[in-house]
Structure formats: structure tokens, C-alpha cells
Amino acid sequence: MIMSNKTSITQFLLLGLPISPEYQNLFYALFLAMYLTTVLGNITIIILILLESHLHMPMYFFLSNLSFSDICFSSVTMPKLLQNMLSKDPSISYASCLTQMYFLMFFGDLESFLLVVMAYDRYVAICFPLHYTSIMSPRLCLCQVVLSWVLTTFHAMLHTLLMARLSFCEDNVIPQFFCDISALLKLACSDVYINELMILFEGGLNIVIPFLLIIVSYVQIVCSIQKISSTRAIHKIFSTCGSHMSVVSLFYGTIIGLYLCPSTNNSTAKETAMAMMYTVVTPMLNPFIYSLRNRDMKEALLRVLSKNKIFL
């Protein structure tokens, strides 16, 4: 780890979770179960949407992309966390750390954009029901998803390249269970002004603006609901939109609190818990939120199981 007269970091040490040694095995089993639940739950949603023609609608097209993003998002951090807990080796190479940071930002931002697209879909469906089919055409839906992938690619690549130009000396301990961009900047021994400036600027574009767009969409939806007299229709709207708002609250709440509104009183344990919420808990809960509160998904699952389509 020593090159010439300057100390150069070739690997980092992930501090991991503040868990007592006697509880390591218990938490390992818990996190493994959570990860498997995330993968199996989201794969089930993707399979249902592919098999059931009734679900070949814009809303479920976006949901299938969100489920794929959740699988990848959780897979960026959980396998490494489980490996470290099992092997007791918290090290991660410099290249692997930057790679993890890139994909974490990529799939995190992709989820943010997909939540915006889903909010817009619900806005059109409720506020302009007669024009929904013409507005949310297959071409527009595909363009929205492709644009989300393209924007997140550039965003993640920008921050990864800016991080790669920094020098890291002496301290190589990251007080997280993954390579967090803010933690890496604190370890850098070169000027991080440009990195921090871009985080503030990009954070506004990729977190604050999408969050505000979602809020505006649902304000419009609430205003439209007031004009509806049917109790059944209102219940269906709240059931569908409530699922989406639950995901939005969990995802954006922890990210904004952790990155855009950091507190000097936040302990390492508190920051780790908040990071665990949006990287692990939210992807795991999404399948339950969207399936248990969605009658179409439950009926599709029953039809698929009754026809044994999964095993064909």
C-alpha cells in the first residue's frame, strides 16, 4: 500500500454495521432472508407482468422496470455485506469500491426517475381518463424509460470520474457497509470542492426536482378526486396512489435526510440505519406494497398459479 514517498490507498475497509459479535449470525440470517425476499418478490412481479396480458399497461410496464431496478439496487450492496459478515474481511479494492459507488448511484437515480414517471402515469390516468390511451402511448412510455436510463448513466459516470481523480491517503476506513460517496469524499486528501459542488447541483436535479414533481402530480390528483362523487372510484384511486406514495415516502425521506439535510448530530449508527432503509428495506417492501394493495396484481397471481404458468 506504499508507493514512492506517498501513501496511496489501494483498498478500503468497510466498517459495516454496528452489531455485537454474538449477534452476527442472527443478523446474517436476517439480511440474507431480506435479500432473497427482495429478489424473489421483484422477480415474481416481473414474471406476472410478462405472463398476464391484463397487466400489459403503462403502469405495470413502469412497475416491471422499477422491480428490475430494485433487484439490481439491492444486489449492489447486499452480497458484499453478507460476504463481509461471513468472512470477517471488511476490505474492498479501490476499483471495486468505485464500481460499487457507480452502480449504487445508477440504480438509485433510476428508481428516482421511475417513481416520477409512475406519478405522471397516475396523474394522466386520473385527471385525463378519456385521453389516457392516446397520451400514454407505448412510444411515450418507452421514451420515458429510455430517458431515465440515459440520464442516470451520465449522472453516475460523472460522479465516478470526479471521484477517480482524487487522491486517498492514510485513512481508508469507510464508516458504512458500502462505498458511500459522502464517506469517500471525507477520506480524500485532495481538493473535493468540485465534487461537493456537483453533488449539490446534481442532487437538486436528481432528488429534489423529481420529488417536487411527484408532489405536484399528487396535488393535482387530490384536486381531481374532489370532483368525483363515486365512493368506489375514490377508494380505488387512493388504493393505487397510496402504494406509490408509500414507496416515495420511504425512498426520498431517508435519502433527503441523509444526503441533502445532514445533521451534525447524526451518529454513524443512525446514518447506517438510514442508508439501510433506502438500499435494503425499500427494495424489499416494494413487492409487498404494490401487490398486497393492488387487486389486479393479486388476481393475476391467482390466475397464474391456477394455470401453473410459472412451471411451463
Side-chain angles (χ1 to χ4, degrees):
M1 292 177 63
I2 299 178
M3 298 177 61
S4 302
N5 296 323
K6 183 179 179 181
T7 309
S8 179
I9 298 296
T10 59
Q11 67 176 8
F12 295 96
L13 299 179
L14 298 173
L15 194 59
L17 303 173
I19 301 173
S20 301
E22 59 267 25
Y23 298 115
Q24 282 284 340
N25 292 334
L26 176 63
F27 276 93
Y28 177 84
L30 174 63
F31 293 139
L32 178 60
M34 292 172 68
Y35 178 60
L36 292 177
T37 301
T38 299
V39 174
L40 293 176
N42 283 289
I43 285 179
T44 300
I45 286 180
I46 294 173
I47 292 175
L48 284 177
I49 293 173
L50 288 174
L51 292 179
E52 281 296 308
S53 58
H54 298 83
L55 301 180
H56 292 175
M57 301 163 54
M59 180 176 71
Y60 297 108
F61 171 67
F62 298 138
L63 179 57
S64 63
N65 278 272
L66 182 67
S67 295
F68 176 77
S69 177
D70 281 336
I71 294 172
C72 297
F73 191 39
S74 183
S75 297
V76 172
T77 57
M78 286 302 289
K80 182 60 179 176
L81 171 62
L82 294 170
Q83 178 190 344
N84 291 350
M85 294 180 69
L86 198 62
S87 65
K88 304 297 189 297
D89 178 17
S91 64
I92 182 172
S93 67
Y94 173 81
S96 298
C97 190
L98 289 189
T99 301
Q100 187 186 60
M101 188 194 80
Y102 170 82
F103 284 108
L104 187 72
M105 297 183 68
F106 178 88
F107 289 110
D109 288 336
L110 180 61
E111 181 145 346
S112 177
F113 284 117
L114 288 175
L115 289 174
V116 175
V117 171
M118 293 174 72
Y120 176 72
D121 173 74
R122 291 300 83 203
Y123 162 71
V124 175
I126 295 170
C127 298
F128 305 98
L130 299 179
H131 303 284
Y132 177 76
T133 305
S134 59
I135 295 175
M136 298 301 296
S137 63
R139 181 178 179 181
L140 177 62
C141 294
L142 182 60
C143 288
Q144 288 175 324
V145 171
V146 170
L147 181 61
S148 298
W149 281 78
V150 171
L151 290 176
T152 52
T153 299
F154 283 114
H155 170 74
M157 183 61 69
L158 171 64
H159 287 284
T160 304
L161 292 176
L162 287 175
M163 185 66 69
R165 72 184 182 86
L166 300 179
S167 300
F168 296 90
C169 312
E170 299 180 359
D171 190 8
N172 66 338
V173 179
I174 300 176
Q176 272 289 6
F177 60 93
F178 60 91
C179 290
D180 181 52
I181 184 172
S182 60
L184 284 172
L185 289 179
K186 292 177 182 178
L187 299 179
C189 55
S190 52
D191 186 16
V192 297
Y193 174 76
I194 296 178
N195 298 70
E196 293 176 341
L197 185 64
M198 291 308 299
I199 287 176
L200 289 175
F201 178 72
E202 290 285 316
L205 291 178
N206 294 282
I207 298 178
V208 177
I209 292 179
F211 180 68
L212 291 178
L213 288 175
I214 292 174
I215 296 300
V216 170
S217 297
Y218 278 94
V219 168
Q220 295 294 324
I221 289 173
V222 171
C223 293
S224 297
I225 290 176
Q226 296 177 353
K227 303 175 183 178
I228 301 175
S229 57
S230 173
T231 305
R232 184 176 180 182
I234 293 176
H235 176 74
K236 184 176 181 180
I237 291 172
F238 272 113
S239 178
T240 304
C241 296
S243 303
H244 189 253
M245 285 305 298
S246 300
V247 175
V248 169
S249 300
L250 283 172
F251 183 74
Y252 283 103
T254 51
I255 289 183
I256 291 175
L258 187 60
Y259 293 108
L260 297 186
C261 300
S263 173
T264 54
N265 297 324
N266 282 353
S267 63
T268 300
K270 183 178 180 181
E271 290 182 353
T272 302
M274 293 174 69
M276 181 68 69
M277 282 297 297
Y278 81 87
T279 59
V280 179
V281 177
T282 301
M284 181 190 68
L285 292 180
N286 282 358
F288 295 100
I289 291 173
Y290 282 110
S291 59
L292 295 179
R293 294 176 61 92
N294 190 306
R295 187 178 64 181
D296 292 337
M297 290 294 297
K298 289 186 286 188
E299 291 177 351
L301 179 60
L302 292 175
R303 283 195 298 268
V304 170
L305 291 176
S306 64
K307 297 176 183 177
N308 292 322
K309 288 185 178 180
I310 292 180
F311 303 103
L312 291 180

